[in-house]
Amino acid sequence: MPRTPASDEDDLDTPTPPVFFAEQALLGALLLEPHRLGEVPGIGPEAFSTAAHSAVFAAIRSLPAPDPAQHAQNTAWLDKVLACARKQARGLSASYLHTLIQVCPRPRHAPAYARMIEAEHARRTVRTGAQRLGQAAGDRTHPQPVPAALAAADALTDVVDRLAATFPSGPASLPRTPAPAPTPASAHDEAAAAEEERSLLAAATARPAVIDQMRWLIADDFVHPRNAGLWQAATALAQRHAAVDPVTILWEAQHRGLLTPGAEPAELHRALAAPAAGDPHYWGERVLHRSVLITAHRVAHRIEALTDDSTITPQQLFLGSHRALASLNAVRARWHQATSTAPPPPPRASQAPARTRAGPPRTTAPGPSRATR
């Protein structure tokens, strides 16, 4: 953390960020020449990184500016600032206010110092929003994790939009900040994802007419690449109005290069021909549900990594954040498409034509109904 007036000035264990010196310079400029407060109208106490600096700025802003001639002759106004600031930061001393004045290089550079402080405050604000998004996406106890994660994403989007509007617009290149490594899933999550994906593939293979209705589900939503490839094979057949069954899907998978070492055809055939348990729509929504949360978690980590990169400009931070949030908006649109319209119910046995041989009984989807999720 940055040094505060109460900290040991000889403690060099924690490096002091450049913004700390910008805060000292700005406060020193305002203490020396209070009329310059009008030159920094866009900054507030919350923009400062320490409670002491925030208290000093709040005091300066709350007190009437002194007469310049009298201010140059005595410390009466500085004493008022100190007394007011001490209400929020008891560790402040008169000597620290004089230190702020002494370390200010040029009071006329106050707007430049304020811009530096605003940029760092924007970075901290975006980081906080990204952390909240990550927490919402990883909260296993929330009864409705997807709406909670999307609400956190909306809040973060509003923050980025609001901050971007306060900085000069202009051309900005995408940041080259390396993307963070994906967080490894637990063995339980891996097993649950695999089970849901296998159930979807078996159910969709048994009811291929439903596949074309599920265009909101794409291969990128799958956790396991092999299952993603099988879904691509099934959807390709359905879109071509070709025959869809375990054998044709396996043949299509072969042409797509899925039969690699470790992917035995017999094993894949058994998975596709397994007894269908439930409605493909249900299992598809489960796969997409997981995809939304995984994407939200990845976006949160990506934006947090951007805020940790001190080499990028505020404009690059906003541009990179917007780009990351766009990937979440894409899966969000498909989630709303999947959950907004219920699929038509399968025909009952009593509704089948008299000359049609009855097929195997259709099972209903396990789990909560669509309205309760």
Side-chain angles (χ1 to χ4, degrees):
M1 292 295 292
R3 294 187 181 94
T4 64
S7 65
D8 183 358
E9 294 296 331
D10 295 329
D11 183 7
L12 301 179
D13 293 339
T14 303
T16 303
V19 71
F20 183 78
F21 300 106
E23 292 178 7
Q24 285 188 320
L26 175 60
L27 294 175
L30 298 179
L31 290 171
L32 186 63
E33 300 179 5
H35 68 277
R36 295 193 181 276
L37 181 62
E39 299 175 3
V40 291
I43 195 170
E46 70 283 351
F48 291 82
S49 63
T50 72
H53 288 174
S54 177
V56 172
F57 183 82
I60 293 172
R61 197 169 65 169
S62 65
L63 294 172
D67 178 82
Q70 294 181 356
H71 184 56
Q73 295 177 0
N74 58 62
T75 62
W77 187 76
L78 295 179
D79 294 338
K80 292 179 181 179
V81 170
L82 179 60
C84 184
R86 274 181 172 171
K87 297 176 182 178
Q88 299 181 20
R90 296 182 179 180
L92 280 171
S93 63
S95 63
Y96 187 69
L97 296 190
H98 289 287
T99 297
L100 294 175
I101 294 173
Q102 292 172 0
V103 299
C104 177
R106 300 285 189 278
R108 66 176 180 273
H109 293 169
Y113 305 145
R115 214 61 180 157
M116 299 174 195
I117 297 168
E118 289 176 332
E120 190 61 27
H121 177 241
R123 191 186 304 274
R124 293 195 304 269
T125 304
V126 173
R127 181 188 296 119
T128 299
Q131 290 171 341
R132 289 174 178 168
L133 173 58
Q135 291 168 358
D139 185 1
R140 299 173 180 272
T141 64
H142 199 285
Q144 294 183 320
V146 168
L150 295 180
D154 288 339
L156 177 55
T157 300
D158 290 343
V159 166
V160 174
D161 290 343
R162 175 175 54 83
L163 291 173
T166 65
F167 283 81
S169 60
S173 60
L174 280 172
R176 298 182 179 180
T177 309
T183 304
S186 65
H188 177 272
D189 288 342
E190 287 280 350
E195 181 62 28
E196 291 174 355
E197 292 172 3
R198 284 194 298 265
S199 297
L200 167 64
L201 291 170
T205 303
R207 293 177 55 188
V210 181
I211 296 177
D212 202 41
Q213 302 171 10
M214 300 173 61
R215 297 194 177 191
W216 38 262
L217 188 69
I218 63 176
D220 288 343
D221 295 321
F222 288 71
V223 172
H224 297 274
R226 185 185 307 172
N227 294 335
L230 290 174
W231 179 252
Q232 282 183 314
T235 55
L237 291 173
Q239 290 172 7
R240 297 200 304 262
H241 302 289
V244 179
D245 61 33
V247 175
T248 59
I249 293 176
L250 192 63
W251 185 255
E252 181 74 16
Q254 175 178 282
H255 292 163
R256 292 174 175 269
L258 295 179
L259 304 186
T260 56
E264 294 295 333
E267 178 186 351
L268 299 182
H269 184 272
R270 283 193 300 270
L272 294 169
D279 182 2
H281 280 273
Y282 171 80
W283 293 116
E285 284 185 23
R286 292 303 306 165
V287 173
L288 187 55
H289 177 279
R290 188 181 303 274
S291 177
V292 173
L293 297 179
I294 290 176
T295 303
H297 201 269
R298 183 175 64 247
V299 168
H301 278 232
R302 171 57 177 164
I303 296 177
E304 194 171 351
L306 292 176
T307 65
D308 289 336
D309 186 352
S310 60
T311 67
I312 66 175
T313 65
Q315 289 81 2
Q316 286 180 305
L317 171 61
F318 304 143
L319 181 60
S321 298
H322 278 132
R323 179 65 63 90
L325 288 164
S327 64
L328 179 55
N329 289 335
V331 69
R332 176 214 292 261
R334 293 188 289 105
W335 169 257
H336 286 315
Q337 182 183 357
T339 57
S340 61
T341 304
R348 298 180 181 178
S350 60
Q351 297 175 336
R355 296 183 181 180
T356 302
R357 184 171 55 186
R362 303 177 185 271
T363 56
T364 57
S369 64
R370 193 180 307 272
T372 59
R373 292 196 302 276

